[in-house]
Every structure is written in C-alpha cells, then in structure tokens.
Amino acid sequence: MRSRYSAYVQERAPYLLQTWHASTRPATIDFEPGLRWLGLEVRRHASDGDAATVEFVASSKLAGRAFRLHETSRFVREGGRWFYVDGEVSRT
C-alpha cells in the first residue's frame, strides 16, 4: 500500500500498473496536473491468507484546496506478489 502511494506521489504509472490486478487494471493512468500529495495514514489492515484489505486516508492539495481520499482497498496475493484489486471510497 505504501509503495503504491509513493508511486502516485512520484507519478510512476508503470509501477502502479504492474501492481494492479489484471482483472481490474486500467489501460492507462492519468495524473491530475498540479495535484500535490501531502500524506498517507493507514488506519487498518487485515489479511486472510492470500486476500487483504487496507483502510487508508491520503491527503492532497489542488489549486489551494485540500482533499482527503478515504478508501478501503482490496488486495490479492498471486505468485508471492500482492496486487491491488479495487477499493471502496468513503465520504469523509
């Protein structure tokens, strides 16, 4: 999770696509021009064998306005590697 957040901060689309599960992976990733990521708070994580969830809040700023992304993400492990599947965004 933290590595994917860092990849968003650094706009490393190839890494994000490589760590996204093939069943839900988009063809491309677009980054919002001028968006500045401010921090990541992992609130909760749980794993059950080859499945895991991570609840997090990521803070950002765009055009002088602050934003928070509060999501519970689902991951699966295949071949020893973890992949992001999808997430449910909460309104905070």
Side-chain angles (χ1 to χ4, degrees):
M1 175 65 232
R2 292 182 194 280
S3 68
R4 286 182 53 82
Y5 170 79
S6 295
Y8 272 102
V9 170
Q10 299 169 4
E11 297 187 356
R12 294 176 48 216
Y15 179 81
L16 292 167
L17 293 170
Q18 290 169 0
T19 58
W20 208 309
H21 195 267
S23 67
T24 58
R25 180 186 310 131
T28 62
I29 295 177
D30 296 320
F31 298 100
E32 183 72 41
L35 181 69
R36 190 170 56 122
W37 291 100
L38 303 174
L40 173 68
E41 174 192 356
V42 174
R43 292 196 171 171
R44 177 180 61 82
H45 59 86
S47 62
D48 183 14
D50 290 331
T53 58
V54 178
E55 179 187 359
F56 70 91
V57 176
S59 303
S60 62
K61 197 169 203 177
L62 178 65
R65 292 191 59 206
F67 297 93
R68 291 168 38 122
L69 171 63
H70 183 182
E71 180 177 312
T72 300
S73 300
R74 291 187 319 131
F75 293 84
V76 294
R77 182 171 39 199
E78 293 181 354
R81 293 183 56 207
W82 287 100
F83 294 93
Y84 171 81
V85 176
D86 59 16
E88 183 177 319
V89 175
S90 302
R91 303 293 173 221
T92 58

